[in-house]
Amino acid sequence: MTAAAITPARKGSGFWGAFARNKGAVIGLVFLALVVLMAVFADLLYPASPWDMTAMPFQPPLSEDALLGSDTLGRDIASGIAHGARVSLLIGLTSTAVAVLIGVFLGAVSGFYGGRVDDLVMRFTELFQTIPNFVLAVVLVAIFTPSLTSIVLAIAIVSWPPLARLARGEFMSLRSREFVHAAVTTGQSNLTIIWRQILPNSLSPIIVSASLMVATAILLESSLSFLGLGDPNLMSWGYMVGAARTVIRQAWWMSFFPGIAILLTVLALNLVGEGLNDALNPKLARKGRS
Amino acid sequence: MTETTLLDVRNLTIDLPRGADRPHAVEDLTFTLERGEILCVVGESGSGKSMTAHAVMGLLPKAVKVSSGGIRHQGTDVLSLPERDQRALRGGRIAMIFQEPMTALNPLMRVGDQIDEVLRYHTALDRAARRARVVELLASVGLPEPDHLRRSYPFRLSGGQRQRVMIAMALAVEPDVLIADEPTTALDVTTQKQILELIRDIQAKRHMGVMFITHDFGVVAEIAHRVAVMQKGRLVEIGAAEEVLNRPKHPYTRQLIAAVPHLIEHREDFTRDRQPVLTAQKVCKTFHIGGGFFTPGRKVVAGDDLSLTIHQGETVGLVGESGSGKSTLGRSIVGLIKPDSGKILFEGVDLLSLSRPAFRPYRRHVQMVFQDPYASLNPRHTVGDIITQGPVAFGEDRHRALDKAKELLTLVGLDASAAERFPHEFSGGQRQRISIARALALEPKLLIADEPVSALDVSVQAQVLDLLEDLRHRLNLSMLFITHDLRIAAQICDTIAVMQKGRIVEIGPAKEVFGNPQHGYTRTLLDAIPGKGWTVPEDVVPVTRRSAALRNSA
C-alpha cells in the first residue's frame, strides 16, 4: 500500500532531516566545527605561546611572519585567535553547563512542588533577574579576582534565571498531564517522576535555549576581558579587542579580526540554536513553513 | 438536478499532501443537499466528513487540494468562483457552525459585535437596524435577555449559550445552507438536547438545508431526514434516515450501528451482600480558584457529602455532566486529590488518615485508567517500560516484570512484541489497552476508570468496553466507572450513582435507576439521551452481546 511506503521514508528523516532543512543551521554547524578544530589544534598550528613576540610590532595583515598582522608588542594575531578560541568555547560551554544545572534544578523543584516552594524559589529568581546581568558579573569577577573559575561561575550565576523560569513552566504543564498522574498512582517516587517522567519530556526547549545561551556566555566573557577582567594567563578574543582599542585608528586589524571571530562564532551558535529549535519543537517550526 | 437542490457535490476528490496515511481525504464523493432537509454525515474520525464540509466552505488547509469533481450551490460552481464571490457565498448563502464554541468565537470581542460584524459585511443595514437585528437574532436562538447579553464577552457564557451565539451568527444573513460540524460533541447531554431541538426548529421555520456532521448515531436518530455514511473518504451508504437506521445495508454501517451503546437491560441482579471493597463516607471537596492577596477568588464545590460503597466484583457507574464532581471523587480515591473532609475506607482502613509512606502500599490495590489515551502514556518510554514502572517501583525484578507485562499485553488483546515499541506507534484504542495493562500490572482489587472510552471512536469504544467487561469477570475486579454517557453506564454498570453539582442525587441498582428514576435530574438526563426513541435493529446486534444478554436473562 502507498501509505505504508511513504511513512518509513518520513521517519528516517527524523531529527537530522528537520535540522538540515534549515540551511542557516547547517552553515552554522560547519563553521562551529571549524572553530572547534581550530581550538583543538591551536598548539599544532601555532606551537609558540600566543603571548610570545614572534614578529615586529604593528605588522599589517598578510605580512611574511604574521598572516593577520601583529599587535603592539609583536604578538601574532592569528595565533591569538586560535588560542583564544579555546578560552571562548571553554568558558561558553562550562558556564552554560553550570547555568543549566542550577536553572533546571531550581525550575524543576519549583514547577513540580508548586505552592510555597514555588513562591520561594521564584522570588529568589526574581532577585537575580532585577540586577543587571553584566554589572553583577563585573562585580563578582572583581570580588573573586579574575580567573577561569571565577569567570565561569560569574557568567553562570547571571545566566540561570531564564532557564529556571523555562524549566518551571515546562514542569508545571507536564505535572498535570495524565501520564504523570499515572506514575503517581502506580506508586513511583517523586524523584523518579521528576527524573524519568518529566525531565526527558521537557528537555527540548531547554536544549534550544541552552545553545543560545552559549553565545551569550561567549559575549559576556569577551566583554569582561575587554574591560580587563579576563583571566590574565589566558589569551582571549575579548582581551585582544580591549588591548587594541587605543590604537584602533593606526592598526585596525588588531581589534578587527578578534571582533570578527566573536561575531561569527556567536552568529553560528544562534543559527545552530534555531536549527535545534526546528528539529526539537517540530510544531513551532511547521507553523512558519507549512 | 431539481429545483430544490441546494448543494450538489459531484465526484469530489480531495488530495492529501504526500506522506499522509492515505492519498485522498475524500474520494469520488457524490451527494446532494435538498431544501428543507437535514442530511447527517456520519463517520468515525478520519473518514473525511469534516474535510468535505471545509471544502464546501472554502476552508481547506493550503496543503490540501481538490483534484477533481465539483461542488455546485444552486447551480453555481463554488470551487471556480473568484475569491471575492466565494466570500460573499460563505456566510451569505452558506453558513457554518463549529464543534468548539469557545475557540470559534473571538474571546476579545463582545458577542453582539461579532454578529454585527457579519451583518456589516453582508448587508447594507445601518447601525440602528443592525443592532435591532442582533437582538432579534439572539432572541431567536432562545438566549435570555438578548439586549443585555449582546454586550457580554464569550467567556461569560456557558458552552450551550456560546453555541447558540454561533448559531445566531450563522443565521444572521439568512443562509439557505447551514453546515454544522459536530456542533454538540463538546456539550453536555442536556445542553445537546436543547441545541438539537433549536437546530431542528430553525431548520423547519426557515426551510433551510442542513448538513449535520456527527459521529453519534443517537444524534442521527434524533434529527436526520437523510443519512450519509462515510468510511475512509468514501461514501458507503446514503438514504432516508428511517431506512439507514433500521435496515442498514453496508457492512460498515451495520458495524457502526452495532457499536452504538444502547440501553439494554442485560444485567443479572447483582447481589450486594458481598464484602465491600471501598466505602466513601461524607467526602467533601471545595476548590478555590484564582484569588490573590486581597481578592478572595471563586469557590467550586466538587464534592459535597459524597457517600458510596463498591462491593467485591461490583461495577459502580458514576454519571453526571461536566463539572458535577465525578472525576474529583475518582481522583480522591487514588490519592491524586486530598478531600477536605470525610473518609475513604479501603477494606476497612481509612486511606485519608494515612501518611504518604503509609498510603503507598494501598496504591497498588487501587489503580486508574485515564481518559485521554494520548496524554496518559509517556511518549518517551517504551510500552514495556510504561507497564513495568509500577511493579518495579514496588520492588519487583525488572525481568520478571517485563515477562508479566508481555502476558498482560496479550491479555488486553495486543501482541507481546508491543513492549518494545513506543506509544505513538499505536492507535487510540490500542493505547487505551496499554493503559489498562499498566493498571492491571499491579494486580489491583479496584479499578477506577475515568471516562476511559470518551476519546475513542464508537467501534473502538465498544471493543474497549467489551475488554473491560471481560477482564472484570476474569480477574474478579471491582470497578468505579466514571462517564458522562448514560448509554455506556447502562451497558456495563451494576450500580449507578448520578451526580449533579458535587452531590450524589440518586444511587441504586442500574435497573432501578434507569427503569424507575426517582430524582428529577436523573429523569432529565435520561430524557436527554439522543436517539432514545430508536432501537437498534435486532439483526445487527453483535452475537457476543446477544448471548451475554441471553445468559443473564436466563
Side-chain angles (χ1 to χ4, degrees), chain A residues 10-27:
Chain A
R10 245 181 128 216
K11 246 180 223 158
S13 60
F15 174 81
W16 283 109
F19 186 83
R21 227 172 291 148
N22 184 337
K23 290 215 177 63
V26 177
I27 296 172

Side-chain angles (χ1 to χ4, degrees), chain B residues 89-106:
Chain B
L89 191 71
R90 242 183 261 156
R93 313 286 357 126
I94 309 176
M96 185 160 181
I97 48 179
F98 299 89
Q99 172 172 356
E100 190 47 75
M102 187 68 232
T103 49
L105 289 172
N106 183 343

Side-chain angles (χ1 to χ4, degrees), chain B residues 208-427:
Chain B
M208 290 188 299
V210 176
M211 180 173 158
F212 194 104
I213 295 168
T214 181
H215 65 275
D216 188 339
F217 263 101
V219 172
V220 175
E222 202 73 17
I223 71 166
H225 298 136
R226 279 203 305 148
V227 184
V229 183
M230 287 185 71
Q231 179 192 22
K232 293 182 184 159
R234 290 171 167 280
L235 185 73
V236 296
E237 184 162 0
I238 185 164
E242 201 267 332
E243 190 71 20
V244 176
L245 287 172
N246 297 324
R247 286 175 294 281
K249 290 188 190 71
H250 194 276
Y252 180 69
T253 316
R254 297 173 70 89
Q255 188 194 326
L256 276 183
I257 291 181
V260 172
H262 26 264
L263 292 160
I264 41 169
E265 290 170 36
H266 68 267
R267 290 211 159 272
E268 60 189 303
D269 257 342
F270 181 85
T271 45
R272 279 171 190 77
D273 42 345
R274 289 196 230 175
Q275 279 295 7
V277 174
L278 185 117
T279 311
Q281 286 173 1
K282 298 180 188 305
V283 174
C284 296
K285 175 75 190 176
T286 306
F287 288 106
H288 300 268
I289 296 170
F293 286 115
F294 304 109
T295 48
R298 208 157 52 90
K299 270 191 196 171
V300 176
V301 179
D304 182 6
D305 201 15
L306 301 174
S307 301
L308 61 82
T309 304
I310 304 170
H311 300 85
Q312 173 74 49
E314 183 184 15
T315 299
V316 176
L318 204 53
V319 298
E321 298 186 286
S322 57
S324 61
K326 45 194 199 307
S327 286
T328 303
L329 182 58
R331 278 164 194 242
S332 302
I333 294 171
V334 291
L336 285 172
I337 292 176
K338 198 148 184 80
D340 302 328
S341 64
K343 280 183 178 166
I344 291 175
L345 301 168
F346 179 81
E347 292 182 335
V349 184
D350 182 13
L351 298 180
L352 296 181
S353 67
L354 297 176
S355 65
R356 247 184 91 96
F359 178 62
R360 202 162 169 269
Y362 290 92
R363 281 207 189 277
R364 65 180 312 162
H365 299 311
V366 186
Q367 282 298 305
M368 185 149 180
V369 177
F370 293 86
Q371 171 173 8
D372 184 355
Y374 292 88
S376 64
L377 303 175
N378 190 333
R380 309 245 166 187
H381 292 172
T382 61
V383 168
D385 267 349
I386 289 171
I387 299 174
T388 54
Q389 271 159 2
V392 169
F394 279 99
E396 194 161 329
D397 175 68
R398 196 174 289 272
H399 291 285
R400 281 254 304 282
L402 194 61
D403 287 342
K404 221 178 81 188
K406 286 180 178 163
E407 276 170 40
L408 280 169
L409 283 170
T410 35
L411 181 72
V412 297
L414 292 171
D415 199 73
S417 67
E420 282 115 52
R421 298 203 273 156
F422 284 90
H424 68 84
E425 298 172 50
F426 297 90
S427 68

